[in-house]
Amino acid sequence: MDKDHREELIKKKGYCWPINDQTEEELTDFLAENKYTYIRINSSYGMSGWILAKSYEICGK
């Protein structure tokens, strides 16, 4: 996990981390061990942010 993603996770501690009441190190270990990836969402429709997921698929029309 790169520095930007780590900083984003730290800012959001307490707001639905995938595991509760853990340290930053425990969280990053959990994400790596369980093969989570960080996906940034940017849209022209105003939706933006990020998600953690094990996989994702981009579907077209």
Side-chain angles (χ1 to χ4, degrees), residues 40-54:
R40 184 173 299 276
I41 301 170
N42 294 309
S43 170
S44 59
Y45 297 106
M47 183 175 147
S48 64
W50 54 273
I51 59 172
L52 291 170
K54 289 185 177 184

Side-chain angles (χ1 to χ4, degrees), residues 26-45:
E26 289 171 321
L27 175 62
T28 54
D29 289 347
F30 173 84
L31 296 174
E33 288 170 13
N34 290 284
K35 297 182 169 74
Y36 278 88
T37 187
Y38 180 99
I39 304 149
R40 184 173 299 276
I41 301 170
N42 294 309
S43 170
S44 59
Y45 297 106

Side-chain angles (χ1 to χ4, degrees), residues 2-60:
D2 68 29
K3 182 182 175 196
D4 290 337
H5 298 158
R6 185 179 302 264
E7 288 175 3
E8 196 70 36
L9 281 172
I10 292 167
K11 282 194 279 184
K12 300 297 182 186
K13 183 171 182 162
Y15 295 95
C16 299
W17 271 19
I19 52 177
N20 294 321
D21 302 321
Q22 303 299 320
T23 67
E24 176 190 340
E25 184 178 345
E26 289 171 321
L27 175 62
T28 54
D29 289 347
F30 173 84
L31 296 174
E33 288 170 13
N34 290 284
K35 297 182 169 74
Y36 278 88
T37 187
Y38 180 99
I39 304 149
R40 184 173 299 276
I41 301 170
N42 294 309
S43 170
S44 59
Y45 297 106
M47 183 175 147
S48 64
W50 54 273
I51 59 172
L52 291 170
K54 289 185 177 184
S55 66
Y56 67 97
E57 180 179 345
I58 298 174
C59 300

